[in-house]
Amino acid sequence: MTLAEVYREGLALAGPGTDRAFEVSCLFEGAFGLSRYAPGLDARRADEPARKRFFALCRALAEGEPLQYLLGEWEFYGLPFYVGEGVLIPQPDTETLVETALGLMEGISSPVVADLCAGSGCVGISIAHARPDARVYALELSEAAFSYLERNIKRNGAAVEALLCDALAPPALPPLDGVVSNPPYISREEMAGLPPQVRREPEMALYGGGDGLDFYRALPGLYHPLIREGGFLALEVGYTQAEAV
């Protein structure tokens, strides 16, 4: 089969979906090291092992496996992050949390920041990358997610200390200038209607209690005593939750 034929077959194997052409193009590039739009694909024969791997990935996509897990990495705030089963996938909306925190840190010299429910570390690592003078502590309870957190800290050369602990039982931390978190905030009702790909992500990173607000009730009281005067607590919230939070 030519590379062009392989791409078309992969698209068919992946089945229907709003972003299927984009997703299959990403898998194609990962498998063959070539853009879907590279010249000469109609004339080039596909490497057999790469073809089989590509088709297997397209079938997994059709079965609901997230694209990011299949690729094994994803970009956030211009940085690369390892992702896979057991860790929340970084989303573009969460970059707003990073930008908000960086804005609140302006004028603070050598800020000390805690990233709660850190997951892959995308928020804390992005802050540390943008503010090399910062000391960042990343707290994560899941051992599966923690392994990605440690790898991503190393990959990005970030000055972040990873702490395997429960954000709802704060460990000993120095006085903080800021606390950031993208906590679990999906309600029980919303959990039942999540798309198949989202349901592959860890429930403990998604489910925020009956109304989704458990962490918003708990975190301010726990961390306010740890934050220096003039510091901040910045939390991502679901699009229907801002008023309640």
Side-chain angles (χ1 to χ4, degrees):
M1 297 179 73
T2 66
L3 287 170
E5 290 170 334
V6 165
Y7 172 80
R8 289 192 290 269
E9 178 66 17
L11 197 57
L13 288 171
T18 305
D19 298 318
R20 278 299 189 251
F22 167 74
E23 293 171 331
V24 172
S25 293
C26 288
L27 296 176
F28 182 88
E29 183 172 348
F32 296 101
L34 290 168
S35 166
R36 149 80 180 92
Y37 302 102
L41 296 187
D42 284 314
R44 298 179 60 173
R45 307 298 296 180
D47 175 73
E48 185 68 10
R51 180 182 70 83
K52 290 181 177 179
R53 184 168 63 253
F54 172 63
F55 286 165
L57 292 171
C58 290
R59 292 188 188 97
L61 191 67
E63 293 168 1
E65 190 72 8
L67 170 67
Q68 294 87 344
Y69 285 3
L70 294 172
L71 294 172
E73 62 180 16
W74 201 243
E75 182 181 297
F76 179 87
Y77 214 70
L79 300 173
F81 290 88
Y82 294 117
V83 293
E85 186 176 351
V87 71
L88 195 70
I89 297 167
Q91 298 294 336
D93 286 350
T94 305
E95 294 184 355
T96 302
L97 177 60
V98 174
E99 292 169 353
T100 299
L102 291 173
L104 292 167
M105 290 161 56
E106 288 181 5
I108 301 176
S109 176
S110 302
V112 182
V113 180
D115 175 17
L116 314 179
C117 310
S120 67
C122 62
V123 172
I125 290 170
S126 296
I127 290 172
H129 185 266
R131 285 291 303 266
D133 62 326
R135 288 169 59 198
V136 179
Y137 297 87
L139 284 60
E140 176 54 49
L141 177 61
S142 163
E143 292 187 9
F146 192 78
S147 67
Y148 287 99
L149 172 60
E150 290 187 307
R151 291 172 63 202
N152 285 323
I153 290 171
K154 184 176 180 180
R155 181 176 191 177
N156 288 286
V160 175
E161 182 176 341
L163 302 174
L164 182 62
C165 62
D166 188 349
L168 297 179
L173 292 168
L176 301 170
D177 295 295
V179 173
V180 295
S181 184
N182 176 21
Y185 58 72
I186 306 298
S187 69
R188 183 180 295 111
E189 181 180 357
E190 291 170 327
M191 287 292 293
L194 291 176
Q197 290 86 354
V198 179
R199 289 201 295 270
R200 300 291 181 101
E201 297 184 70
E203 181 176 316
M204 69 180 295
L206 298 169
Y207 182 55
D211 62 359
L213 302 177
D214 283 3
F215 281 80
Y216 303 104
R217 293 188 181 94
L219 294 178
L222 290 170
Y223 286 88
H224 182 269
L226 306 181
I227 299 174
R228 286 193 270 237
E229 185 176 352
F232 65 89
L233 170 66
L235 307 172
E236 178 170 329
V237 302
Y239 74 97
T240 64
Q241 296 171 325
E243 183 176 352
V245 172

